[in-house]
Each structure stands twice: as structure tokens, then as C-alpha cells.
Amino acid sequence: MAKQRDYKREYELSKQRGERDRFKTIGTSVPIEIYEAFRRKTENKYTSMSSIIREWIEVYVNEEDD
């Protein structure tokens, strides 16, 4: 039988490492058809949805303002 994860302990350790102060989670809603198409495309390109979204955010933040 697989060992149970101790999520409370993992959370406390991540707080001690300062991870809770360095990162934020962003959420959004999209139609299921768009989600499925996006998921399939990222899987076909052997990447993750979150890495693509992080890249988009970085490009957007770093682009020149008019």
C-alpha cells in the first residue's frame, strides 16, 4: 500500500522555505471546449498548460507600453 502524503506537513515546510511569499496562483474560467483543445495541444507538444500560461504572462508584462 502506498504511503499517505502529509499535506499539512508539506504546507508547513513550504511556508518555512518562503514559497508562500514568492508565488501566487491565478485562476480563470474558459469554456470546456477551449480547455480540452488547449489541453490536447499542450500534450501533443509535450509541455504543460501552466508553462504556456506563465510564458504568456511574462511576455505581456515585459512588452512595451504605448
Side-chain angles (χ1 to χ4, degrees):
M1 182 167 194
K3 183 179 176 184
Q4 289 286 331
R5 288 181 67 176
D6 186 351
Y7 291 102
K8 184 176 180 179
R9 181 174 184 276
E10 289 179 27
Y11 175 74
E12 292 299 325
L13 290 174
S14 72
K15 283 192 338 189
Q16 289 174 6
R17 289 189 298 263
E19 292 173 3
R20 298 289 166 195
D21 300 328
R22 298 183 304 143
F23 296 98
K24 277 297 202 190
T25 301
I26 299 174
T28 189
S29 298
V30 295
I32 191 73
E33 299 83 16
I34 301 279
Y35 170 82
E36 291 297 334
F38 184 49
R39 183 186 56 78
R40 277 193 306 276
K41 189 167 185 175
T42 57
E43 285 178 355
N44 290 341
K45 293 184 179 252
Y46 300 103
T47 189
S48 70
M49 292 187 289
S50 56
S51 67
I52 298 293
I53 294 169
R54 276 193 298 272
E55 286 178 26
W56 291 339
I57 292 170
E58 287 177 22
V59 167
Y60 183 77
V61 167
N62 293 324
E63 75 183 11
E64 294 292 323
D65 290 333
D66 292 338

